[in-house]
Amino acid sequence: MSQKVALITGGASGIGLAAADALARAGHHVVLADIQAEAANAAVETFRSQQLSASAVQLDVSSEETWRSAIETVEREQGRLDVLVNNAGIGEGGTLESTSLETFNRVMAINVNGVFLGCKYAIPLMERSGGGSVINVSSIFGIVADQLTVAYSASKGAVRTMTKAVALDCASRNSGVRVNSIHPGFIETPMVMGAAAVTPAEIIEPYVARTVGQTPMGRFGQPDELGDVIAFLASDASRFMTGSEVTVDGGFTA
Ligand code: NAI
């Protein structure tokens, strides 16, 4: 049987890069699908230098056209697709008052339309490949809300219930594709650390203290702690799981 293939959106950074690493080490060819082509290509070089099988494709998850062409590229170059990690997302904050409609629409276009389009274009190829596993990266804010992230919370809640709807659709058609969501807590990635770096100390310091204080395990998570759970959901070890929501949050939502 040919090597299994996994496509990871936002695979050039943070949780996506850690997921790609875990999946490559589990024997997959990994396709890093990212809007940042240079960063994705650099990551591919690092994987190859470690004898891991990887390639890159440029993709804007909010664009139907680039999804169509990315999946065509995967089918032409790899001949199959077994795992889709819908991970790319943006984390713009804002209260109801400070969030413009433009910001709301941008967050929804990437975080929600991106997952919808990924499922729509990748799942048919996964079915032609004999089935597989989709992992949608939501957030703790898809389960509980935060008044400082109105658009982001809305988008991640949508990912949570869309995951269940698509899981039911696939199961009812006996398509062989399982669909689950994961809900990370606060993870030390460029998204979080970058936002922290540009936020005034008098705002970020109490926020971090409050966040860590609300996390029973008392710390932020690391990207590889998500990568390992994603690799589990991609594997046959999770073969009776579909439509599930898996929190990886140090107990934040417990
Ligand atoms: P990150 O900023 O480190 O990485 C995001 C990646 O997505 C980047 O490589 C970026 O180029 C790519 N990307 C952004 N927009 C894109 C687009 N339109 N098309 C294709 N690629 C695009 O972020 P991080 O923290 O690794 O986040 C990954 C996912 O995890 C996101 O969906 C985020 O909402 C979610 N998440 C992160 C948490 C955290 O604490 N870091 C907590 C809960 C969820």
Side-chain angles (χ1 to χ4, degrees), residues 9-16 33-36 59-62 87-90 110-111 137-140 152 156 184-187 189-192:
T9 71
S13 174
I15 293 170
D34 205 289
I35 200 163
Q36 296 189 69
L59 171 75
D60 173 357
V61 291
S62 66
N87 160 79
I90 57 170
I110 295 173
N111 293 5
V137 180
S138 174
S139 166
I140 48 173
Y152 185 76
K156 293 302 187 179
F186 291 87
I187 313 300
T189 67
M191 177 194 277
V192 165

Side-chain angles (χ1 to χ4, degrees), residues 131-229:
S133 174
V134 177
I135 299 105
N136 293 332
V137 180
S138 174
S139 166
I140 48 173
F141 296 142
I143 296 177
V144 295
D146 183 308
Q147 74 272 23
L148 298 177
T149 62
V150 168
Y152 185 76
S153 296
S155 74
K156 293 302 187 179
V159 170
R160 172 173 169 266
T161 40
M162 182 175 16
T163 299
K164 294 176 192 296
V166 178
L168 294 176
D169 174 55
C170 289
S172 69
R173 292 184 292 104
N174 206 12
S175 84
V177 174
R178 299 181 294 107
V179 191
N180 296 290
S181 59
I182 62 163
H183 301 264
F186 291 87
I187 313 300
E188 272 186 48
T189 67
M191 177 194 277
V192 165
M193 303 324 278
V198 297
T199 306
E202 63 272 23
I203 296 176
I204 197 66
E205 281 170 11
Y207 187 77
V208 169
R210 181 163 62 89
T211 303
V212 171
Q214 285 174 345
T215 303
M217 288 180 72
R219 63 173 177 86
F220 279 24
Q222 296 301 315
D224 67 323
E225 294 175 313
L226 274 298
D228 288 344
V229 177

